[in-house]
């Protein structure tokens, strides 16, 4: 039996329409899955900001840090160091000012610098300096200060160890070093380092922060003897 041409054409169009519909449904379903995972269509979950620009509570945000020519005293040597590294902060509610502020819990902080060899082995002859977080607290804050310009006051409170690693210096001072075990000098902040600045985005987009006062570093078991001091720490903070 021969099927009329007109009916065959109608069935073909119906099949194509059903195929297009299935394709649109599949694309829509993929969009829902990706959107719920925070991969498309806006800011990923945990990184959202409210209308004031404050980060969402629970977000964990990485921040790059670059401090060039930071004047630092180590024992009797005076050097300018270039620190590079970063930190990660977790955003918490601030009960003292819930509408306009967030507390920031530093959950990772590390920067390093190369020590210059100034040719005076008695004072300074190369090596590395590593600053690394040694206390997890939530004393840092981000506070909205001007709604018209979306200005924020950022205050970072940082407690850390400073590890001064100079194995070459040890070998020079002790000959071959036979019979002696080398250990880097590990100091800790006597009081937290406080960095402050005005920013217009969080995480910052190349904002400069300043250190409020010099930071003394001491031996953990001898807090009265200052062996190093970070005199200034002009640091550029940037989103990673």
């Amino acid at each position: 039996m021969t099927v009329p041409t007109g009916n065959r054409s109608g069935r073909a169009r119906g099949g194509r329409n059903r195929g297009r519909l299935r394709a649109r449904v599949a694309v829509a379903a993929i969009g829902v899955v990706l959107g719920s995972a925070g991969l498309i269509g806006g800011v990923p979950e945990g990184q959202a900001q409210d209308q004031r620009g404050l980060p969402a509570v629970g977000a964990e945000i990485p921040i790059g840090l670059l401090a060039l020519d930071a004047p630092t005293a180590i024992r009797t040597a005076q050097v300018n160091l270039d620190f590079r590294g970063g930190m990660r902060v977790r955003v918490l509610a601030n009960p003292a000012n819930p509408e306009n502020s967030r507390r920031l819990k530093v959950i990772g902080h590390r920067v390093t610098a190369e020590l210059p060899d100034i040719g005076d082995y008695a004072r300074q002859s190369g090596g590395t300096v590593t600053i690394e977080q040694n206390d997890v607290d939530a004393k840092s804050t981000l506070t909205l200060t001007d709604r018209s310009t979306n200005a924020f006051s950022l205050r970072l409170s940082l407690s850390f160890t400073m590890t001064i690693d100079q194995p070459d210096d040890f070998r020079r001072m002790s000959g071959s070093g036979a019979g002696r075990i080398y250990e880097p000098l590990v100091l800790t902040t006597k009081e937290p380092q406080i960095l402050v600045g005005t920013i217009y985005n969080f995480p910052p987009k190349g904002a400069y922060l300043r250190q409020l006062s010099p930071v003394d570093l001491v031996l953990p078991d001898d807090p009265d003897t200052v062996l190093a001091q970070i005199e200034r720490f002009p640091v550029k903070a940037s989103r990673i």
Side-chain angles (χ1 to χ4, degrees):
M1 178 178 176
T2 303
V3 178
T5 304
N7 290 343
R8 185 168 61 243
S9 177
R11 289 172 184 153
R13 285 194 299 271
R16 285 195 297 270
N17 289 339
R18 286 191 296 273
R20 293 191 188 103
L21 178 60
R22 285 194 295 269
R24 285 195 294 269
V25 170
V27 170
I30 293 172
V32 169
V33 171
L34 294 180
S36 65
L39 300 177
I40 63 172
V43 183
E45 183 181 357
Q47 301 291 329
Q49 294 180 335
D50 63 17
Q51 293 180 349
R52 296 156 296 181
L54 289 167
V57 172
E60 292 189 3
I61 300 173
I63 300 173
L65 300 174
L66 176 65
L68 300 179
D69 290 326
T72 304
I74 301 176
R75 299 188 184 92
T76 60
Q78 186 72 37
V79 292
N80 286 2
L81 300 179
D82 295 341
F83 287 96
R84 294 174 170 84
M87 66 171 58
R88 179 178 291 272
V89 299
R90 180 179 298 143
V91 181
L92 305 175
N94 188 352
N97 187 1
E99 294 298 319
N100 297 304
S101 182
R102 296 284 189 266
R103 290 185 301 145
L104 303 176
K105 184 175 185 178
V106 179
I107 56 176
H109 170 219
R110 189 176 191 271
V111 295
T112 61
E114 296 292 326
L115 280 167
D117 188 340
I118 62 176
D120 184 348
Y121 298 158
R123 297 192 304 155
Q124 187 58 59
S125 57
T128 60
V129 174
T130 301
I131 286 174
E132 198 159 16
Q133 176 181 1
N134 69 347
D135 185 23
V136 178
D137 59 38
K139 296 179 181 178
S140 302
T141 56
L142 176 71
T143 304
L144 179 65
T145 56
D146 189 335
R147 292 179 182 272
S148 63
T149 60
N150 205 44
F152 296 87
S153 172
L154 176 61
R155 178 186 175 92
L156 297 174
S157 176
L158 305 172
S159 297
F160 51 78
T161 59
M162 172 186 278
T163 301
I164 301 168
D165 194 8
Q166 297 177 285
D168 291 342
D169 188 54
F170 172 79
R171 285 190 288 270
R172 289 181 182 127
M173 297 294 291
S174 61
S176 65
R180 298 181 61 186
I181 298 175
Y182 168 74
E183 292 183 1
L185 177 63
V186 179
L187 306 176
T188 186
T189 47
K190 189 170 184 178
E191 297 293 339
Q193 180 188 54
I194 305 297
L195 302 177
V196 298
T198 298
I199 62 175
Y200 298 91
N201 308 91
F202 191 82
K205 296 181 179 179
Y208 284 91
L209 309 177
R210 63 184 178 87
Q211 181 176 271
L212 278 186
S213 59
V215 175
D216 291 336
L217 293 120
V218 299
L219 290 170
D221 57 357
D222 185 8
D224 295 326
T225 303
V226 176
L227 295 183
Q229 184 185 76
I230 302 174
E231 297 173 1
R232 294 192 305 278
F233 200 77
V235 60
K236 183 179 181 181
S238 303
R239 180 172 185 170
I240 297 178

